[in-house]
Amino acid sequence: VINTTITNNNNNDANIMYNLYNASTSKITNQVQMATADDIKQSIIDSQTIQQHWYNDYTLMQRSQVILQIAQRIKESKNIRQSLAELEVQETSRPIKEILDYDIPTIIQALEYYSYLPSILPSGSLMPDVHSNHNFSYTKREPIGITIGIGAWNYPLVNAIMKSIPALTFGNSMIYKPSEYTPSTTLLL
């Protein structure tokens, strides 16, 4: 449901690679391929298809269950938490204790919150029309469609979750561009 791309503003060659550095040592740790204009166009097409499937084939409560399952997997798996934290440390140079004690619980809480939110929100509302005693207005919650998120380098994991989960819960898809300095946790998600 989330398409992650790293854009290449300088060149549309398909094989442009971007080096990822350890923030503490400045050593190259990995490389990611830059997205071309064609990659971005394909992401939009794919996101439209995915969004229609996500909204039409899954009810709001089913989408909420998927999101809750993600939270539970992270909560129950020390390996997942550790992998996310280690990537975050490598790219941001933040202390692992801070990531494990703050970031990981924050994303779990956000996932749980947005998984429960649909159960307390009304699906729509019926109101009398202020211009007539004979008409009513009905509002219905519907997705926007494709949403866009742009990540920051300093809290990449928290940013990715906080931007994507509200959109995904309510039936949207998201094209997410992580920071080119810290894309690894987003790509792992």
Side-chain angles (χ1 to χ4, degrees), residues 24-93:
S24 296
T25 66
S26 298
K27 291 183 180 175
I28 296 173
T29 58
N30 208 344
Q31 290 187 319
V32 290
Q33 187 169 334
M34 300 300 253
T36 65
D38 289 339
D39 294 333
I40 294 168
K41 288 176 190 173
Q42 189 61 50
S43 290
I44 293 168
I45 292 166
D46 293 346
S47 290
Q48 289 171 325
T49 302
I50 291 166
Q51 187 275 326
Q52 290 299 311
H53 170 67
W54 181 239
Y55 179 67
N56 293 324
D57 298 343
Y58 290 83
T59 67
L60 181 58
M61 296 313 290
Q62 288 171 323
R63 291 192 301 271
S64 295
Q65 283 300 310
V66 170
I67 291 166
L68 183 58
Q69 288 170 359
I70 295 167
Q72 290 169 337
R73 282 197 67 200
I74 295 170
K75 190 186 281 189
E76 293 168 0
S77 174
K78 183 177 182 179
N79 288 340
I80 292 173
R81 294 190 309 274
Q82 193 68 31
S83 294
L84 290 169
E86 286 172 5
L87 281 174
E88 199 93 340
V89 166
Q90 182 175 300
E91 291 184 343
T92 66
S93 198

Side-chain angles (χ1 to χ4, degrees), residues 106-107 110-111 156-166 176 189:
T106 298
I107 66 165
L111 288 160
L157 182 60
V158 172
N159 276 306
I161 292 293
M162 294 301 207
K163 290 178 187 223
S164 62
I165 294 305
Y176 188 77
L189 281 175

